[in-house]
Amino acid sequence: MTSQGFVPPPYPQDRLDALKKVADALPGGMVDCSVGNPVDPVPEVALEALAAAAALGNTYPPTIGSPDLRGAASRWLLRRAGVDLDPTSEIIACIGTKELVASLPHYLALRDPSRDTILFPAVAYPTYEMGATLAGLRSVPVSLHANWHIDLDSISAQDASRALVLWLNYPGNPTSTVAGAAEMARIVEWGRENGVLIASDECYYEFSGQEAAATALGTGNEGVIAVHSVSKRSNLAGFRAGFIAGDNEIVKYLGEVRKHAGLMVPGPVQAAAAAVLDDDEHVDIQRARYSERRALMLDGLARHGLIHEGGSALFYLWLRSSDGVDGWTAAARLAESGLIVAPGDLYGAAGVEHVRLALTQPNERLHLALERLDAQV
């Protein structure tokens, strides 16, 4: 804050512009693995549903989501996560998940002004912290264990008593950590004991890798909301569609607030999102793509001293250089071979020794990046 008011900090990815210029000067251009931006085809089932529902663009869509969308989300949760929720009262739509992550602290503070703190993992998606800033609230990063899982014991009693929400993100961005059912249950119980809403960002749920992902809703929805998206699951990042599920009082409150704010997913997009949530075949194909890319890059980067130190989830690699350089130095070296990754401190100071690589490039582009690296030796 300044005397003139809030001045937004540089957007994290914009800090990579100089490295991108270096990388893009090479023949073939840069291979940009810095952003989790899907590049694979939009599923045909989504395109068909979008076209069939195009005429819905002439009218306002329901802010809370159409019955078809909420019903598809409910069926997906039951089928994939074993959670049975009422689509009429425990699920609403959101405009992707980033919008919800950024706005949730503000809406929760309006509901309960006696609390002023947002808790989030110390290495995490930057919007958890920015959401607190935009709401004028305290943001408190929660320490992580050596395996990048959240350390509840590090939360002080004072911070717990002031907290509106504890954000979770499993499978995790940027560390690819995956939480099992027992860990999720322990965190949810902590939230209930302390009167803190557990907000679980589960947008990578379908890409947990070797470990079985768990939802925070596994022990019931009291004091819990889970946030899901079709951006990564179905390559619909540009459609901007997701849903919020869980505690019926919170979900109802958010639905009413969002009606007043006019936060509506376009009607044709809602139809496309419902269609992909009812289809698992395209997700199996996408999961195989990420698994193949993960194996390729793990092996290829290890030859150059870049070792994955995160979990088993398929979407990102969380890499550290074996010679001990920091993330920005490692990223600069990779940029010289045309490969762009995100330095780890973009996700919190505790990530300073790492870089994040998003597996969102086609195989031929990843092969090009590795060939360039090999040629530098």
Side-chain angles (χ1 to χ4, degrees):
M1 300 292 288
T2 71
S3 58
Q4 287 75 41
F6 175 64
V7 177
Y11 190 69
Q13 293 297 332
D14 291 347
R15 295 174 60 191
L16 301 178
D17 286 351
L19 297 184
K20 289 181 178 180
K21 289 180 181 178
V22 171
D24 211 30
L26 295 174
M30 67 176 166
V31 179
D32 190 355
C33 293
S34 66
V35 182
N37 188 21
V39 298
D40 297 303
V42 171
E44 283 297 321
V45 66
L47 295 175
E48 292 169 3
L50 184 70
L56 294 176
N58 71 340
T59 190
Y60 293 115
T63 301
I64 62 173
S66 67
D68 285 347
L69 175 56
R70 287 179 286 143
S74 177
R75 290 189 293 274
W76 180 83
L77 282 168
L78 183 59
R79 186 173 73 250
R80 301 292 293 154
V83 173
D84 190 4
L85 294 185
D86 184 345
T88 67
S89 62
E90 297 174 328
I91 298 173
I92 59 172
C94 59
I95 309 172
T97 53
K98 184 167 187 171
E99 166 268 312
L100 185 280
V101 170
S103 62
L104 183 68
H106 176 61
Y107 297 145
L108 292 179
L110 292 174
R111 181 174 182 266
D112 181 5
S114 70
R115 295 195 173 214
D116 66 352
T117 297
I118 305 300
L119 304 175
F120 60 96
V123 176
Y125 185 44
T127 310
Y128 304 137
E129 181 176 12
M130 181 52 68
T133 299
L134 294 175
L137 302 175
R138 294 174 71 232
S139 59
V140 177
V142 179
S143 297
L144 304 178
H145 295 292
N147 61 359
W148 309 105
H149 288 254
I150 198 164
D151 180 6
L152 290 176
D153 293 337
S154 70
I155 302 172
S156 72
Q158 181 184 32
D159 286 337
S161 69
R162 297 174 65 176
L164 277 164
V165 64
L166 167 61
W167 277 108
L168 303 181
N169 179 213
Y170 295 113
N173 171 18
T175 62
S176 292
T177 48
V178 180
E183 181 174 6
M184 281 294 204
R186 184 173 61 86
I187 296 171
V188 168
E189 183 58 29
W190 178 92
R192 289 170 179 161
E193 289 175 353
N194 288 278
V196 178
L197 178 71
I198 301 299
S200 184
D201 182 353
E202 301 177 1
C203 65
Y204 302 100
Y205 187 87
E206 294 276 22
F207 302 125
S208 62
Q210 298 171 354
E211 303 171 66
T215 174
L217 298 169
T219 60
N221 61 0
E222 179 189 351
V224 182
I225 59 170
V227 182
H228 286 273
S229 168
V230 295
S231 295
K232 307 304 195 297
R233 175 191 184 273
S234 302
N235 297 324
L236 298 183
F239 282 44
R240 309 313 304 144
F243 66 89
I244 311 156
D247 187 298
N248 57 6
E249 290 188 9
I250 297 293
V251 168
K252 180 180 179 181
Y253 167 76
L254 292 175
E256 292 302 308
V257 170
R258 294 170 67 81
K259 288 177 186 178
H260 287 287
L263 296 172
M264 295 176 281
V265 179
V269 171
Q270 292 194 35
V276 295
L277 286 168
D278 274 333
D279 180 74
D280 294 329
E281 183 177 358
H282 74 278
V283 184
D284 294 338
I285 294 170
Q286 191 61 45
R287 191 180 296 110
R289 289 185 180 122
Y290 286 131
S291 183
E292 183 178 356
R293 293 169 188 169
R294 189 178 194 271
L296 170 67
M297 296 305 283
L298 278 174
D299 179 64
L301 293 171
R303 296 196 300 268
H304 299 277
L306 287 162
I307 310 301
H308 175 64
E309 291 191 337
S312 69
L314 302 176
F315 203 85
Y316 296 115
L317 295 180
W318 184 236
L319 302 160
R320 183 178 61 82
S321 178
S322 59
D323 64 1
V325 301
D326 65 32
W328 280 97
T329 302
R333 289 177 180 174
L334 291 171
E336 292 174 359
S337 66
L339 178 61
I340 297 296
V341 298
D345 69 355
L346 297 183
Y347 308 96
V352 67
E353 296 180 350
H354 292 77
V355 298
R356 190 197 75 174
L357 184 145
L359 293 162
T360 51
Q361 287 291 324
N363 284 20
E364 60 269 22
R365 298 294 291 170
L366 297 178
H367 278 292
L368 173 62
L370 293 178
E371 289 167 4
R372 289 168 169 173
L373 277 171
D374 290 340
Q376 285 186 334
V377 177

